[in-house]
Amino acid sequence: METAEVLYTDLSTFTNGSYNPGKRWRIISWYFINYFVFNSALPWPYQWKLRILHSFGAQVGKGLVIKTKVRIKYPWHLTIGDHCWIGESVWIDNLSKVTIGNNVCISQGAMLLTGNHDYSQPNFAFRLGNIEIEDGVWIGAKSIVCPGVSCKTHAVLTVNSVATKNLDRWSIYAGNPARKIRDRKMHS
């Protein structure tokens, strides 16, 4: 009788593979700016933050409100539309592209995660997926948007929910994993 070989996770074999986030000097420079300005508890002016993001390659529209203690992995993988709000302690872990539309609110402590690991591989290889957040979306406090997820126009991800699949337009989602609970309606 033949026995199957049992494989185990071996983190000593992990490599980034072909993944290259950018030039080393740019990554190191951004690390310090991110730490002292964006991830700081000091309320740096929004316009300063906007200019810094632009200088590091982010595409950002007008009217950005970006609060304190925000972490952005690589601004050169970030596009933000007009009149967006990014709340305190948001983490944009953009190992790959994150696109945020117009009039989007990302509330306190939310996480946008473009990277994960392949738990079926012994070397725990990267799995990356872009995130797209369309116009009018609200990502609730302490919610998580996982790699490869698209949040369609005016979707809502409620507090402490986890989006593992795409969110339909004009829909409200809750839970872990997030499930549609009702349609979103606007009142005048």
Side-chain angles (χ1 to χ4, degrees), residues 2-23:
E2 209 173 294
T3 59
E5 179 184 357
V6 177
L7 296 175
Y8 297 95
T9 301
D10 182 359
L11 297 180
S12 71
T13 63
F14 173 78
T15 68
N16 285 345
S18 63
Y19 179 72
N20 180 0
K23 295 182 178 170

Side-chain angles (χ1 to χ4, degrees), residues 97-119:
K97 188 82 175 148
V98 169
T99 304
I100 299 170
N102 300 315
N103 300 297
V104 170
C105 178
I106 302 173
S107 293
Q108 309 88 310
M111 298 188 337
L112 308 181
L113 307 175
T114 62
N116 202 338
H117 293 279
D118 187 346
Y119 56 80

Side-chain angles (χ1 to χ4, degrees), residues 10-53:
D10 182 359
L11 297 180
S12 71
T13 63
F14 173 78
T15 68
N16 285 345
S18 63
Y19 179 72
N20 180 0
K23 295 182 178 170
R24 194 84 176 131
W25 67 266
R26 190 180 202 190
I27 294 168
I28 291 169
S29 299
W30 174 250
Y31 176 83
F32 287 103
I33 296 289
N34 192 37
Y35 182 79
F36 288 110
V37 177
F38 289 86
N39 196 18
S40 168
L42 296 173
W44 294 92
Y46 302 144
Q47 281 302 318
W48 290 13
K49 291 179 181 181
L50 177 74
R51 286 189 195 110
I52 292 169
L53 286 171

Side-chain angles (χ1 to χ4, degrees), residues 109-185:
M111 298 188 337
L112 308 181
L113 307 175
T114 62
N116 202 338
H117 293 279
D118 187 346
Y119 56 80
S120 69
Q121 298 295 316
N123 69 350
F124 220 45
F126 271 147
R127 288 193 303 195
L128 302 177
N130 297 341
I131 291 176
E132 180 181 17
I133 300 175
E134 293 183 0
D135 295 350
V137 169
W138 180 12
I139 305 298
K142 299 207 175 210
S143 290
I144 300 171
V145 179
C146 292
V149 169
S150 179
C151 303
K152 300 299 181 184
T153 186
H154 291 82
V156 175
L157 183 62
T158 62
V159 171
N160 213 29
S161 295
V162 180
T164 59
K165 302 233 183 314
N166 294 346
L167 306 184
D168 292 336
R169 59 193 308 275
W170 290 95
S171 299
I172 300 173
Y173 287 79
N176 180 8
R179 298 198 193 301
K180 182 177 176 179
I181 57 173
R182 66 181 167 275
D183 291 335
R184 180 180 185 185
K185 298 185 184 335

